[in-house]
Amino acid sequence: KGKEKIFEENIRLLISYDNTQPFTEEIDIKEITEAINNCKILDPACGSGAYPMGILHKMVHLLQKLDPENKYWK
């Protein structure tokens, strides 16, 4: 469970708006980038579109932190 706790902490750091990029191993970066690419978002309210735009903003932020040179996600 030690690895899972470290991974969870790294995910929390990645999701934060801090500029820290906690993942250094290429395999982790590739897998997380692929997961973001395959992610499906459902807007439960179907309202103004603020929810999907907020998620899009967060996903772009994550991709910029994970892959600033767009080596894995093009």
Side-chain angles (χ1 to χ4, degrees):
K1 287 213 167 197
K3 278 183 141 180
E4 291 173 2
K5 185 163 178 78
I6 291 170
F7 187 76
E8 182 179 338
E9 289 172 5
N10 286 344
I11 289 289
R12 289 183 187 277
L13 281 173
L14 181 66
I15 291 174
S16 74
Y17 279 107
D18 186 21
N19 285 330
T20 305
Q21 204 291 61
F23 293 98
T24 56
E25 294 191 29
E26 188 174 341
I27 188 84
D28 291 336
I29 295 170
K30 282 182 179 180
E31 288 180 0
I32 295 169
T33 302
E34 186 67 24
I36 291 170
N37 185 52
N38 293 327
C39 184
K40 306 267 189 274
I41 305 298
L42 174 67
D43 184 358
C46 297
S48 67
Y51 180 79
M53 290 306 294
I55 295 292
L56 177 63
H57 179 74
K58 186 59 119 172
M59 292 170 82
V60 168
H61 179 73
L62 293 174
L63 287 170
Q64 287 175 345
K65 283 173 75 172
L66 280 171
D67 188 19
E69 297 174 4
N70 291 335
K71 287 175 23 182
Y72 308 111
W73 191 80
K74 297 179 182 186

